[in-house]
Amino acid sequence: MKRPSSRGAVLVGFMGSGKSVVGKELARRLGARFADTDARIEEMAGATVPEIFAARGETAFRELERDAIRDLVSVPGRVIATGGGAFLDEENRRLLSAYAPVIHLEASPGTVLSRLAGDAGRPLLAGPDRERTVRELHARRAASYREADFSVRTDALSVEEVADRIVRILSGKEGEGE
Ligand code: S3P
């Protein structure tokens, strides 16, 4: 396994698992720069994620996502929060895993549904049966997320507690899957 480094980390996991908010807090604690793949995509495209999905479709979004990741990993030491689908792509997994320790923020379907209640910014969840979509996608993505180096179950933790846990993992005080 990769040695935990004192700077830089990659956060992966389902929509609503807290990657962006935890990533910012983690970057602050590590004294690292924070980057978010969705924000980079929006910058590159000059459009929001829902606008990109609506105008160009998911395939075009995934291409932009790969470009954004290639771009973000060109500068070392960042804390990178990824979009929930980014780690499903083999090339993205390879680039991100080579970049820094990858931490999976785990959140159950129930947690995701309650955290994203009323959220209209996730095009994949825009259909009529959000609960079913979340459960199906969640199950389908589990195997890819398991390829992360570490996993933190976030359901019962605050942002600060998740960041604490990750800092401990990165400093080698806490093991895989704890
Ligand atoms: C997606 C997750 C979103 C965003 C896009 C697709 C996904 O990011 O990249 O809507 O496939 O799970 P968040 O995980 O930050 O919501």
Side-chain angles (χ1 to χ4, degrees):
M1 193 201 311
K2 205 176 325 165
R3 291 171 65 82
S5 74
S6 57
R7 290 184 76 216
V10 174
L11 303 183
V12 304
F14 206 81
M15 294 169 264
S17 59
K19 301 172 301 276
S20 301
V21 62
V22 168
K24 284 182 193 147
E25 175 60 18
L26 181 65
R28 194 183 65 73
R29 294 187 191 200
L30 298 177
R33 288 293 189 89
F34 173 73
D36 184 301
T37 59
D38 284 340
R40 187 76 193 95
I41 291 165
E42 292 186 338
E43 237 172 63
M44 285 165 34
T48 65
V49 170
E51 284 167 356
I52 299 166
F53 268 76
R56 300 167 61 184
E58 182 172 355
T59 306
F61 174 80
R62 297 300 174 200
E63 276 168 27
L64 287 166
E65 187 168 59
R66 273 192 291 273
D67 291 345
I69 288 170
R70 268 188 229 116
D71 178 51
L72 290 177
V73 300
S74 66
V75 175
R78 287 171 156 153
V79 171
I80 301 178
T82 60
F87 208 57
L88 275 61
D89 177 86
E90 200 182 331
E91 185 195 336
N92 292 344
R93 277 205 301 276
R94 189 175 54 72
L95 288 175
L96 293 167
S97 299
Y99 181 73
V102 178
I103 296 119
H104 172 209
L105 300 191
E106 261 189 277
S108 70
T111 298
V112 167
L113 285 161
S114 75
R115 287 187 189 158
L116 296 184
D119 176 282
R122 267 73 174 197
L124 292 181
L125 304 184
D129 194 343
R130 175 178 280 216
E131 177 166 354
R132 184 175 168 177
T133 308
V134 165
R135 290 190 190 285
E136 284 179 2
L137 269 182
H138 198 278
R140 215 181 305 145
R141 292 176 167 190
S144 298
Y145 294 149
R146 271 199 295 274
E147 298 202 23
D149 298 305
F150 303 98
S151 180
V152 175
R153 185 166 270 292
T154 67
D155 301 276
L157 301 182
S158 66
V159 170
E160 288 72 25
E161 287 168 330
V162 176
D164 281 349
R165 200 65 71 86
I166 298 172
V167 168
R168 288 177 62 80
I169 287 171
L170 296 177
S171 66
K173 292 190 187 121
E174 211 163 309
E176 188 175 13
E178 288 185 42

